[in-house]
Amino acid sequence: MTEILTEDTIADNPVAPTANYTEDDIVTLEWNEHIRRRPGMYIGKLGDGSSADDGIYVLLKEVLDNSIDEFMMGFGKNIEVSVIESAVAVRDYGRGIPLGKMIDAVSKINTGGKYDTNAFKKSIGLNGVGVKAVNALSCQFTVGSIRDGKKKEAEFAGGRLVKESDLSETDEPNGTYIRFTPDPTIFIDFRYREEHIIPLLKNYTFLNTGLTINFNGQKYLSRHGLLDLLNDDMTNDPRYPIIHLKDGDIEIAITHASQYGEEYYTFVNGQNTTQGGTHLTAFKEAVSRTVKEFIGKQQYEYSDIRNGIVAAVSIKVEEPVFESQTKTKLGSQSMGPEGPTVAKAIGDFVKTHLDNYLHRNPETADTLKKIVDENERERRAMSGITKKAREQAKKVNIHNKKLLDCRVHLTDARGSEEKKNQSSIFITEGDSAAGSITKIRNVETQAVFSLRGKPKNTFGKTKKMVYENDEFYQLQAALNIEESIDNLRYNKVIIATDADVDGMHIRMLLLTFFLQFFPDLVKRGHVYILETPLFRVRNKKTSKRVSGTRQKKVAEDTYYCYSDEERIAAIERLGNNAEITRFKGLGEISPEEFRYFIGEDMRADQVRMHKQDGVAELLRFYMGKNSIERQQFIINNLVVEDDSQIS
């Protein structure tokens, strides 16, 4: 691959010439070297495995996608997946890669079987890159194929072939196996986490009924497709039985829950399109129009119909076009070269099948109508309040210094998708914490929103509170989520509060606000809790203010500790020279020290929601008006080492 040097590549290569531009400046890279130098082009962000969209999970998915495509073509009902520490193994029982082309299939760009739509009519990937990227970004990569009693195996390192076996006889069943270990020089301090792997595997089974995936000894399969998916993923109970419709290349599941906002799970050819695309746009329009026509009230707005909706939609498209290599947003306008548009196919499907279902199930139809009526009444009751709030916000915004935006939004309203994916906003308590973060933040991608005092408890309240409370309304406006979560301006919403009782309380109040009014913000993985150190332990003889993170030793002088265990370990290392500082609040951490806590090694815990967490009950218990119940819980669970401490 030939690469023309740009400012970026020159920056990566300090010895590159900057004045003269000659033939010597045109560099030809091997396929694997290009992937290794530019991994983000192929797998998105690298990450350490703490987020579901980190690159190590994309590597796993790229291998699995090939096995899923075999199943979709009618071959291989079982897939075995093993992840032990950093080593991954995937074995399917499909047709196996043609033995004579096996090495080419995993090591030559633009080589694969998916260009022939007769072999893979509706596969996930067509660009011939996926498994090659896995190969190039792995320190160890082994591929084997078994076809009709013959077996071949090859081993690679960093995409370079290191060993190739001859054909051998075998009695193993047909299929392909791949074992790989992501390169630790590219994926720094990474670790696979089951909480991100299991949802990925479950989604594969929900979208491919009849498929069984065995993961580390645990079996996953689905008999009812998207119906099982909603039952598994919904954190609130459905208000009416889930409507499950399927015909040909389209499958949908719909219900409403007692929650605000809209919650969607969308898929194309088995790929989880977390950012939606043309199919989601068409689905939302079709559902709104069909329900409105069924009920027959013209005064309804589409928001009345969709508020509280929880739905999943899956379509199969020939030669799908995605808006990025990681395939999280569908760009295709048609179902295939000879097919109808995506909008027409989904529109016709929903109009026919959903309308028929509502006519045949009057109890569900009546419940749905009541929900839409409730939403309409609340919208009308809020219309005057929202208008007043918006007018007030226009006046306040002129002098509003609560939001310090990042440059990607200030200087370029459109911005690049890559930069927007890197953008974040810190929600801080008070001016001191905001000041420290503001002075040291990355102004390109990091914004700061400063709270004044404790927010109100929103549990059990209606959305009217958002518009009557300046703090919440300005936060909503800063995030740009008034109309839809899809308009969110920042990829990460990071709650940055003190690690004391008041800070924890403010954190809980903010989480209650998001869970009450914008649950999909949490479910899509946008909300994080910033971790900051509780202690600084340094050598009191030198007392150098050299900072570090993740309790790494810095200049043999300073440790930043996030727990008592880390503090004790640091004291043991420094011995009698240890000087201990307890950070009581974010405002006590100097801007220079903060640089390391919100930089590349930032510790931020993603807030997750699972059905088994019982979020609704947790909120009721901790944020409801049951103070006596909570008081009794504290008394019953209070642990005191010395009875004399109780007066």
Side-chain angles (χ1 to χ4, degrees), residues 48-50 56-57 85 188-195:
D48 62 359
S50 57
I56 60 171
Y57 302 109
E85 295 183 350
I188 308 299
D189 296 331
F190 77 92
R191 178 171 65 87
Y192 278 101
R193 292 164 170 81
E194 287 195 358
E195 65 260 32

Side-chain angles (χ1 to χ4, degrees), residues 79-112:
I79 300 174
E80 295 171 2
V81 181
S82 169
V83 179
I84 300 175
E85 295 183 350
S86 60
V88 179
V90 177
R91 168 62 151 109
D92 69 40
Y93 296 90
R95 292 167 290 184
I97 303 172
L99 303 180
K101 290 289 186 178
M102 184 191 74
I103 292 177
D104 289 353
V106 299
S107 63
K108 287 189 177 181
I109 295 292
N110 301 324
T111 300

Side-chain angles (χ1 to χ4, degrees), residues 160-179:
R160 298 184 183 279
L161 181 65
V162 296
K163 185 178 180 181
E164 175 185 359
S165 71
D166 294 328
L167 284 177
S168 61
E169 302 286 336
T170 182
D171 57 1
E172 297 178 52
N174 286 355
T176 301
Y177 61 88
I178 288 177
R179 298 188 294 268

Side-chain angles (χ1 to χ4, degrees), residues 529-541:
I529 302 295
L530 177 68
E531 283 191 64
T532 50
L534 298 173
F535 307 95
R536 179 183 62 214
V537 181
R538 62 183 181 182
N539 190 323
K540 64 184 177 183
K541 283 190 174 181

